Amino acid sequence: MAEPLLGDGTPVGSDGQSVEALPSEADVLLLRMLHHGLKDQAIARQLGVSQRTATRRVAALTERLGARIRFQAGANAREKGWLEL
C-alpha cells in the first residue's frame, strides 16, 4: 500500500502531520530533559555528548518548534502533542 502524501509529496503520519514534522525519539528525550529543568551540561552528561553538542541540539529543537526560549519550546511542543506530561 502506498504511503499517504501531502500535496507537496511529503509523507503524512497517521495523525495527519507530515512525517518530517513529527519528533524523533531523540527529540522527545531532549524535551523531557528540558521539562525536568536540566541544563545543557547535565543534558550532555546524560546523552554522552559534549556540552557544545547538547547546546546545539537544544537550539535546533527550539528553532524547529518556532520558539526563542526553552520555556516557549516546551509550550509549543505540548501544543503540537509532542510532549505528554
Side-chain angles (χ1 to χ4, degrees):
M1 186 156 113
E3 189 173 277
L5 301 175
L6 292 176
D8 64 359
T10 305
V12 177
S14 61
D15 63 356
Q17 289 189 31
S18 74
V19 173
E20 292 175 1
L22 299 174
S24 67
E25 289 181 32
D27 291 338
V28 173
L29 176 61
L30 185 55
L31 284 167
R32 287 183 181 145
M33 288 185 205
L34 291 171
H35 172 71
H36 289 288
L38 272 65
K39 304 285 186 205
D40 291 352
Q41 187 174 15
I43 290 171
R45 277 195 307 268
Q46 292 283 324
L47 297 177
V49 298
S50 71
Q51 182 174 343
R52 184 173 177 159
T53 297
T55 299
R56 286 181 182 160
R57 288 184 183 174
V58 169
L61 184 59
T62 301
E63 182 179 330
R64 183 173 170 203
L65 286 163
R68 294 180 63 193
I69 59 173
R70 291 170 182 243
F71 182 83
Q72 185 181 17
N76 291 359
R78 184 129 162 88
E79 274 182 24
K80 290 177 178 276
W82 288 14
L83 185 61
E84 294 180 21
L85 305 177

